[in-house]
Amino acid sequence: MSAIKYPIQGSCQCGGVTYQLLEPPLMVAACHCRECQKLSTSAFSITAIVKASAVEFSGDMSDWSRSSESGSINAAKFCPTCGNRMYHFDPQAPEKLKLKPSNLSDTRVIDPSMHIWVSEKQDWYKIPEGVTVFDKQP
């Protein structure tokens, strides 16, 4: 397999929001909490933690937020036309973004090294060996 070349292009389903990921993610995690199951309409959601300075967005995005179990705010940016979630962020830590990387043109960066909230994992999904696992939020 060839090396991943940056920047990598990304976009929402309709193309109204585009972006470039300029460097590799700091980490990639699979979250199994019920909220992420709702978000992904699947067993878990994939998140790539990136430096905010490592991604450049173009296009209008809408906002949404909710409180997390810890009481912090989990804010999100999404395309107002097609509804694709682009990233989440903590307003208290704006230097990092929780990018939703499935909309990248090269998805080889999606290789979770961590699975979180496995206490809410679907019983039928088997977590691969060799990854770090947390019952809840680390």
Side-chain angles (χ1 to χ4, degrees), residues 50-110:
V50 300
K51 291 186 276 185
S53 61
V55 62
E56 297 175 345
F57 290 94
S58 179
D60 293 330
M61 289 188 272
S62 293
D63 302 288
W64 181 80
S65 65
R66 66 173 175 84
S67 294
S68 67
E69 183 180 85
S70 69
S72 63
I73 299 297
N74 188 16
K77 294 282 192 174
F78 64 95
C79 174
T81 302
C82 68
N84 260 162
R85 215 48 88 82
M86 303 310 291
Y87 66 92
H88 291 184
F89 65 101
D90 178 349
Q92 299 300 314
E95 69 282 357
K96 290 185 183 170
L97 302 180
K98 302 169 197 171
L99 188 67
K100 297 312 204 177
S102 295
N103 51 30
L104 286 167
S105 61
D106 184 345
T107 56
R108 290 178 293 164
V109 300
I110 303 174

Side-chain angles (χ1 to χ4, degrees), residues 41-54:
T41 68
S42 188
F44 54 86
S45 177
I46 301 290
T47 298
I49 307 299
V50 300
K51 291 186 276 185
S53 61

Side-chain angles (χ1 to χ4, degrees), residues 9-31:
Q9 309 301 315
S11 71
C12 63
Q13 284 183 292
C14 74
V17 177
T18 59
Y19 68 95
Q20 291 189 89
L21 179 60
L22 305 174
E23 59 189 53
L26 301 170
M27 66 173 289
V28 178
C31 182

